[in-house]
Amino acid sequence: MNNAIQFALALGGTSVIEVLPDWLTFWNKYVIPGTSGGAGLSKIITSQLLPSKLFASANGVSSIIDYISTLRDMGLDPRNTYIPVTTPFVADTNFDYSNGGAETSVHPAYYEALWEFSNSGVTPWNSTYSDRLRTVTMLTNATRLGMKLGGSNGGTYVNEANPFTQDWEEAWWGSRYNNLVKTKK
């Protein structure tokens, strides 16, 4: 735990270790205050599949850290960041991923991703048009940065994609898109 605390402190964060007597105390102290004003929120998500090769070098890791710092500097709240543990690296299966899951509709980048890095922007129901536009623009810029970071080996997990992604066919489906269109016809 000390390593995590030192990391947070080094980045200007804080650390609180607290022992509470029961679950209800935790619920009342931390969960309930976070739900105030939660009704009527509009939440837009952006996600980026980060290829495992980015984690294989110091330059790659540095580029990920720079990406995260840029998102924070753009105004995205780090508390809205999450990295679900869902990629094939964590699956206990005999499925052969060497062909990029060619028989599925899943973006080929998914099979090479170590992280699905997701973030979101939230606007209250009574936000002005200007505030809503600012949030959507910020997330769209974050999407572009994520696509640049992932490069040709990146993509987006379609269920958590920014609906304003410019090249959505490539970002969401990759080389699968044309076959999916044929199937729909």
Side-chain angles (χ1 to χ4, degrees):
M1 195 65 168
N2 188 46
N3 288 343
I5 292 169
Q6 293 307 315
F7 178 75
L9 295 175
L11 294 175
T14 60
S15 174
V16 175
I17 297 177
E18 183 176 5
V19 177
L20 299 172
D22 54 44
W23 177 254
L24 183 59
T25 303
F26 167 80
W27 181 267
N28 289 333
K29 184 170 184 177
Y30 292 105
V31 177
I32 295 297
T35 62
S36 62
L41 293 178
S42 173
K43 186 174 196 175
I44 300 174
I45 297 174
T46 185
S47 70
Q48 181 62 41
L49 297 169
L50 299 183
S52 59
K53 73 177 192 173
L54 280 174
F55 296 85
S57 71
N59 285 343
V61 171
S62 179
S63 67
I64 294 168
I65 292 169
D66 290 346
Y67 169 67
I68 294 168
S69 296
T70 300
L71 295 180
R72 182 197 61 221
D73 294 345
M74 288 171 49
L76 285 169
D77 188 337
R79 294 172 296 178
N80 291 332
T81 299
Y82 73 108
I83 303 167
V85 182
T86 58
T87 62
F89 283 94
V90 299
D92 183 17
T93 180
N94 292 323
F95 184 79
D96 179 12
Y97 294 108
S98 63
N99 66 354
E103 61 281 344
T104 74
S105 62
V106 176
H107 195 302
Y110 184 76
Y111 298 100
E112 297 297 323
L114 182 59
W115 277 8
E116 176 207 339
F117 185 92
S118 301
N119 206 305
S120 61
V122 178
T123 54
W125 67 272
N126 60 349
S127 295
T128 64
Y129 173 77
S130 176
D131 288 341
R132 292 190 308 263
L133 182 60
R134 185 175 19 264
T135 299
V136 169
T137 301
M138 178 176 50
L139 281 169
T140 301
N141 289 335
T143 300
R144 287 186 190 125
L145 288 172
M147 291 174 68
K148 183 178 176 184
L149 175 65
S152 61
N153 294 322
T156 297
Y157 176 55
V158 70
N159 292 325
E160 296 176 346
N162 178 349
F164 302 101
T165 302
Q166 287 183 330
D167 189 10
W168 62 270
E169 297 95 335
E170 177 60 32
W172 299 357
W173 305 107
S175 60
R176 309 280 197 261
Y177 183 74
N178 289 332
N179 284 340
L180 290 168
V181 170
K182 287 179 192 173
T183 302
K184 295 282 266 185
K185 291 182 179 184

